[in-house]
Amino acid sequence: MTLHEWWIAPFDDFGFMRRALMACLALGLGAGPVGVLLMLRRMSLVGDALSHAVLPGAAIGFLIAGLSYPAMGAGGLVAGLVVALLSGQVSRETVLKEDATFATFYLTSLAAGVLIVSLRGSNVDLLHVLFGTILAIDADAIRLVGLIATLTWMSLALVWRPLVAECFDPDFLRMVGGHGRGQHLLFLALVVINLVAGFQTLGTLMAVGLMMIPAAVARLWARTLTGMVLVAMGVAWSSGYLGLLISFHAHLASGPAIVLTASALFILSLGFAPGGVARRLFTRPHLAH
């Protein structure tokens, strides 16, 4: 097999591969910076919880319109926002911490979503909802993912400085009169809409994969916030491209192949990145002789 046949021909010959690649590029563009901010705010597991929280809304959209990405995406957006708002409100009004409320709501949402899909759909339909069908993505879904990426960057341009300040020094932000609660809710909304974009491509169970794994890789390689955002987007794009190629040539499921490719890059980074294990093993202590 020539290099062209391996690296280029699948995208050159098949429209569904080109559409899947475009969706991965748009998803990485929006999810990259959001994942980095989630990681810096120590909210990585909140992203995972919200990725499951969209399932009931997506399931209701499936019951109404079948495997229609706009309908399922709209339902997932509403469900994710409701869970995010309820979790934040409950954590403020009770003794429960936000991680506990998110865990409770996401487990409830996951169970409810699976039950709703099983009421009318088949096991195949449930697998489509849970694990995505990126190779079947259409032009409307690509436009939706691209719109979400555009809205993400526009929103981050407006609140980037206070979001970064809250990551590193929330007390200072409160002292200067920053609207932490409003910005926090806006940030949660950005997380939800990017998870909806991920749901369009990778399904509800793996939507967070291209959001958090590239962010973890970026933290190992980059030392500045801008560098982490750029590395995270690059890892997401590389994972999408390589994962699609692997799934095409090896006849594997595309969504898991993409996420596992990102995981492989993370493992390699653990060994060779400046912030990885190798540096700590082979770098002598500063005062050692």
Side-chain angles (χ1 to χ4, degrees):
M1 182 178 290
T2 66
L3 291 177
H4 179 272
E5 290 173 335
W6 176 267
W7 296 102
I8 300 175
F11 303 103
D12 193 27
D13 297 339
F14 299 101
F16 66 88
M17 289 290 288
R18 290 194 295 273
R19 290 190 293 272
L21 181 61
M22 290 177 61
C24 286
L25 294 178
L27 179 60
L29 183 65
V34 172
V36 168
L37 289 173
L38 268 176
M39 178 190 63
L40 293 177
R41 293 160 72 96
R42 297 177 177 84
M43 295 174 61
S44 300
L45 292 180
V46 169
D48 182 58
L50 286 176
S51 71
H52 296 79
V54 305
L55 184 55
I60 292 173
F62 167 76
L63 289 181
I64 296 173
L67 285 172
S68 167
Y69 286 113
M72 295 169 68
L77 176 62
V78 172
L81 290 175
V82 168
V83 168
L85 292 174
L86 283 177
S87 298
Q89 187 64 31
V90 169
S91 65
R92 284 189 294 271
E93 301 295 336
T94 68
V95 297
L96 291 173
K97 300 295 184 181
E98 194 171 41
D99 59 342
T101 58
F102 268 111
T104 302
F105 279 111
Y106 106 73
L107 289 170
T108 303
S109 298
L110 179 61
V114 171
L115 181 62
I116 292 171
V117 174
S118 64
L119 288 176
R120 195 176 112 180
S122 64
N123 289 335
V124 174
D125 294 325
L126 181 59
L127 289 175
H128 282 319
V129 173
L130 293 177
F131 296 104
T133 51
I134 189 171
L135 296 182
I137 198 166
D138 57 15
D140 289 337
I142 292 175
R143 282 192 285 269
L144 177 60
V145 176
L147 176 62
I148 288 173
T150 303
L151 289 175
T152 299
W153 276 89
M154 292 175 63
S155 301
L156 289 177
L158 295 175
V159 295
W160 180 256
R161 290 172 65 92
L163 283 179
V164 172
E166 192 175 13
C167 289
F168 296 104
D169 197 346
D171 293 332
F172 172 77
L173 184 65
R174 284 191 291 270
M175 287 176 57
V176 298
H179 302 289
R181 181 176 177 181
Q183 289 149 5
H184 182 69
L185 292 177
L186 175 60
F187 178 67
L188 288 179
L190 291 178
V191 174
V192 170
I193 64 172
N194 278 278
L195 289 172
V196 168
F199 156 73
Q200 303 287 321
T201 56
L202 302 175
T204 57
L205 290 185
M206 296 191 180
V208 76
L210 281 190
M211 181 178 290
M212 296 315 309
I213 299 177
V217 175
R219 183 66 182 88
L220 294 172
W221 285 100
R223 302 187 65 178
T224 66
L225 186 57
T226 301
M228 281 190 280
V229 170
L230 293 176
V231 172
M233 291 191 297
V235 171
W237 294 337
S238 301
S239 302
Y241 174 69
L242 294 174
L244 287 172
L245 282 177
I246 293 170
S247 70
F248 180 84
H249 291 296
H251 306 289
L252 300 173
S254 54
I258 291 170
V259 176
L260 286 175
T261 301
S263 299
L265 294 175
F266 173 71
I267 293 172
L268 289 174
S269 299
L270 284 177
F272 300 102
V277 176
R279 175 178 176 272
R280 297 181 182 274
L281 289 178
F282 298 108
T283 301
R284 297 175 61 187
H286 180 64
L287 296 178
H289 295 286

